[in-house]
C-alpha cells in the first residue's frame, strides 16, 4: 500500500520548514506514517490488522478534515506519536484507547473531540455519559467497516451491553419495535447528552413521544389532563407486560387518580359494599373503563366531555 503523506503541513509550527525527517523525529511521529504502521499491522503481519480502517470515512483521502486527508497525521492522528512504538513494538508505548492505556480518559476523548467538537461537544458536557466517565470508544469502533452503533439494527445491542434493565424491558410483550430493527434507542435519546431529562432528543417526554405519535399531540376539544401533562403517567417508554405499554391495567390505572366516588368504579354488593355484581358492576365489566371512555387521549366530539366518543 502506497500512501502519500503530507505530514509537515499538519504540524503548523513547522510548516515553514521544508520536509525534514529530523524535525519529525523530534516530535515523536514516524516519518513514513501509515506506511510504517502497516509494515506490522496489515493482513499479512502477525499483529492486529488495521486494514479495515481503510473502508471507513476516517481514511477518505479526499476529505481534508479526515486523518488521511492532505496534511493529516494518518494513524497517528488518533494513536499519537508512534515512532518509539514502531521500534519497541510494545502496546504500552502507544495510545491503545483502552482503559489501561497510558493516555488518560480526558486525553483519549480529546483526540476525538479535536475533530468532532462541533457536533458533539456542547451536548457531551451536558450529559450523563460524560459524568459517568464514558469514553467515545465505549460506543464507537474505528476499525470496523461499519461502526455497529451507527446502524439502527445493531445500536441497541451496544447500549444494552451496559443498560441491563432496558435489555429486560425490551424483551417484554409490549415494546417499541427495537428487536425488529425498526427503531433504536437514539430515536428517543441523544447518546452524547442533552439538556432534557434522561438525555431525550426533545425538551420534554411529551414532545419526544408526539414527534412520532403526532395524533396524540392535540389540542383537542376535550382534553384529558394527564395526557397533556406526561405520557409517562400511563405508559412506560421501554416495555410492559400489559398491552399498549401501560404501567397498570385499567381499571386500576384509572383508579390511581379517579376515586370510586362520582360513579362507582368498584363493583358493589346489593348492600353497597365492595365486591359482588350489584350496582356499579357495569362500570368495570370487561375489566376496563375504556369500554365506555374510549377516547382516553381526549376527544374532538362535541359531546365528548366524558371521553366516551
Ligand atoms: C515493527 C512492527 C510494528 C510497527 C512498525 C508498529 N507496530 Fe503497533 N504493535 C506491534 C506489536 C507487535 C504490537 C503488540 C504488542 C503487544 O501485544 O504487547 C503492537 C500493538 C499496537 C497497538 C495496541 C494493540 C492493543 O490493543 O494492545 C496499537 C494501537 C498499535 N500497535 C498501533 C500502531 C501504530 C499506530 C503504528 C504506526 C505509528 C504501529 N503500531 C507500528 C508492532 C508494530
Ligand atoms: C479515527 C481514529 C483512528 C485512526 C485514524 C486509527 N485508529 Fe487504530 N484504533 C483506534 C481506536 C479507537 C482503537 C480501539 C479499538 C476500536 O475502537 O476499534 C484502535 C485500535 C487499533 C489497534 C488495536 C487493534 C485491536 O483490534 O484492538 C491497532 C493495531 C491499531 N488501532 C492500528 C492502527 C493503524 C495501523 C492505523 C492506521 C492505518 C490506525 N490504527 C488508525 C482509532 C484509530
Ligand atoms: C483528524 C480528524 C479526526 C479525528 C482525530 C477523528 N475523527 Fe472521526 N471523523 C473525521 C471525519 C473527517 C469524518 C467523516 C465525516 C465528516 O466529514 O465529518 C469522521 C467520521 C466519524 C464518524 C462517523 C463515521 C461514519 O461511518 O459515518 C464517527 C462515529 C467518528 N468519526 C468518531 C470518531 C471517534 C470516536 C474518534 C476518536 C477515537 C474520531 N472520530 C477521531 C475526522 C476525525
Ligand atoms: C453512549 C454511546 C456513545 C458515546 C459514548 C459516544 N457516541 Fe457518538 N454516537 C452514538 C450514536 C448512537 C450515534 C448515532 C446516532 C446519533 O447521531 O445520535 C453517534 C454518532 C456519532 C457521530 C456521527 C454523527 C453523524 O452525524 O454522522 C460522531 C462523529 C460521533 N458520534 C462522535 C462521538 C465522539 C467524539 C464521542 C466522544 C466525545 C462520542 N461520539 C461518544 C453513540 C455514542
Ligand atoms: C459503557 C457503558 C454504557 C454504554 C455502552 C451506554 N451507556 Fe448509557 N449510561 C451509562 C452510565 C454509567 C450511565 C449513568 C448512570 C445511569 O444512569 O445508569 C448512563 C446513563 C444513561 C442514560 C440516563 C441519562 C440520565 O440523565 O438519567 C440514558 C438515557 C442512557 N445512558 C442511554 C444510553 C444509550 C441510548 C446508549 C447507546 C447509544 C448507551 N446509554 C450506552 C453507561 C453506558
Ligand atoms: C420510545 C422512546 C424511547 C426509546 C426507544 C428508549 N427510551 Fe430510554 N427513556 C425514554 C423516556 C421517555 C425516559 C424517561 C422517563 C422519565 O424520566 O420520565 C427514558 C429513560 C431512560 C433511562 C434512564 C433511567 C430510566 O429508566 O428512567 C435510561 C438509562 C434509558 N432510558 C436507556 C434506554 C436505552 C438503553 C434504550 C434502547 C435499548 C432506550 N432507553 C430506548 C424513552 C425511550
Ligand atoms: C421514533 C418514533 C417514535 C417515538 C419517538 C415514540 N414512538 Fe411509540 N411507537 C412507534 C412505533 C413505530 C410503534 C409501533 C407501531 C406499530 O407496531 O404499529 C409505536 C408504538 C407505541 C405504542 C403501542 C405499543 C403496543 O404494544 O401496542 C405506545 C403505547 C407508544 N408507542 C407510546 C409511546 C410513548 C409514550 C412515547 C414517548 C415516550 C413514544 N411512543 C415515542 C414510534 C415511536
Ligand atoms: C391517562 C392514561 C394515558 C395517558 C396519560 C396517555 N395514554 Fe396512551 N393509552 C392509554 C390507554 C388506556 C391506551 C390503550 C387504549 C386502548 O385500549 O384502546 C393507550 C394507547 C396508546 C397508544 C396505542 C393505541 C393508539 O391509540 O394508537 C399510543 C400510541 C399511545 N397511547 C400514545 C400516547 C402518547 C404519545 C401519550 C402522551 C401524549 C399518551 N399515550 C398518554 C392511556 C394513556
Ligand atoms: C394521572 C391521573 C389520571 C389517570 C391515570 C387517569 N385520569 Fe382521567 N382525569 C384526570 C384528571 C386530572 C382529569 C380532569 C378532572 C377535572 O377536570 O375535574 C381527568 C378527567 C377524566 C374524565 C372526564 C371527567 C369529567 O368530569 O369531565 C374521564 C371520563 C376520565 N378522566 C377517565 C379516565 C380513564 C378511563 C382513565 C384510565 C384509562 C383515566 N381517566 C386515567 C386524571 C387521571
Ligand atoms: C358502562 C359505561 C361506563 C363504564 C364502564 C365506566 N364509565 Fe365512567 N362514566 C360513564 C358515564 C355514562 C358517565 C357520565 C355521567 C354523567 O354524565 O353524569 C361517566 C362519567 C365518568 C367520570 C366523570 C365524573 C363523574 O363521575 O361524572 C369519570 C371520572 C369516570 N366516568 C371514570 C370512570 C372510570 C375510572 C371507570 C372505570 C373504573 C369508568 N368511568 C367506567 C360510563 C361508564
Amino acid at each position: 500500500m502506497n500512501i502519500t503523506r503530507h505530514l509537515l503541513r499538519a504540524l503548523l509550527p513547522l510548516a515553514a520548514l521544508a520536509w525534514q525527517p529530523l524535525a519529525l523525529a523530534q516530535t515523536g511521529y514516524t516519518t513514513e506514517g501509515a506506511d510504517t504502521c502497516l509494515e506490522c499491522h496489515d493482513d499479512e503481519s502477525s499483529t492486529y490488522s488495521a486494514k479495515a480502517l481503510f473502508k471507513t470515512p476516517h481514511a477518505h483521502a479526499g476529505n481534508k478534515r479526515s486523518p488521511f486527508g492532505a496534511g493529516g497525521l494518518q494513524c497517528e492522528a488518533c494513536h499519537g506519536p508512534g515512532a518509539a512504538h514502531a521500534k519497541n513494538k510494545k502496546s504500552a508505548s502507544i495510545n491503545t484507547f483502552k482503559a489501561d492505556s497510558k493516555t488518560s480518559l480526558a486525553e483519549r476523548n480529546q483526540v476525538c473531540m479535536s475533530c468532532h467538537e462541533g457536533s458533539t461537544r456542547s451536548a457531551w458536557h451536558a450529559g450523563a455519559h460524560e459524568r459517568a466517565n464514558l469514553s467515545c470508544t465505549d460506543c464507537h469502533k474505528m476499525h470496523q467497516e461499519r461502526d455497529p452503533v451507527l446502524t439502527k439494527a445493531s445500536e441497541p445491542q451496544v447500549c444494552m451491553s451496559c443498560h441491563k434493565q432496558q435489555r429486560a424491558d425490551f424483551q417484554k410483550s409490549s415494546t417499541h419495535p427495537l428487536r425488529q430493527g425498526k427503531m433504536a434507542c437514539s430515536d428517543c435519546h441523544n447518546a452524547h447528552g442533552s439538556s432534557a431529562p434522561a438525555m431525550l432528543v426533545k425538551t420534554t417526554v411529551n414532545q419526544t413521544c408526539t414527534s412520532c405519535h403526532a395524533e396524540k399531540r392535540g389540542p383537542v376539544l376535550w382534553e384529558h389532563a394527564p395526557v397533556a401533562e406526561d405520557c409517562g403517567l400511563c405508559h412506560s417508554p421501554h416495555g410492559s407486560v400489559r398491552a399498549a405499554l401501560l404501567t397498570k391495567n385499567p381499571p386500576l390505572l384509572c383508579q390511581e387518580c379517579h376515586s370510586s366516588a362520582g360513579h362507582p368504579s368498584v363493583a358493589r354488593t346489593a348492600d353497597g359494599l365492595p365486591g359482588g355484581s350489584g350496582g356499579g358492576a357495569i362500570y368495570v365489566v370487561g375489566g376496563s373503563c375504556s369500554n365506555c371512555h374510549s377516547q382516553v387521549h381526549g376527544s374532538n366530539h362535541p359531546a365528548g366531555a366524558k371521553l366516551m366518543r
Side-chain angles (χ1 to χ4, degrees), residues 17-59:
L17 307 177
W19 174 264
Q20 276 185 7
L22 181 66
L24 289 172
Q26 282 168 352
T27 65
Y29 290 93
T30 61
T31 53
E32 303 298 328
D35 289 341
T36 301
C37 310
L38 292 171
E39 279 167 24
C40 299
H41 295 292
D42 71 356
D43 295 342
E44 289 80 49
S45 79
S46 52
T47 42
Y48 314 95
S49 171
K51 289 278 274 286
L53 184 91
F54 293 99
K55 295 180 176 150
T56 73
H58 280 129

Side-chain angles (χ1 to χ4, degrees), residues 250-252 254-255 258-259 261-266 281-285 287-293 305-306 308:
L252 273 183
C254 316
Q255 287 165 341
H258 296 288
S259 74
H263 79 54
S265 58
V266 179
I282 188 172
Y283 295 112
V284 288
V285 161
S288 182
C289 317
S290 37
N291 284 346
C292 297
H293 302 289
K306 305 297 176 198
M308 293 168 70

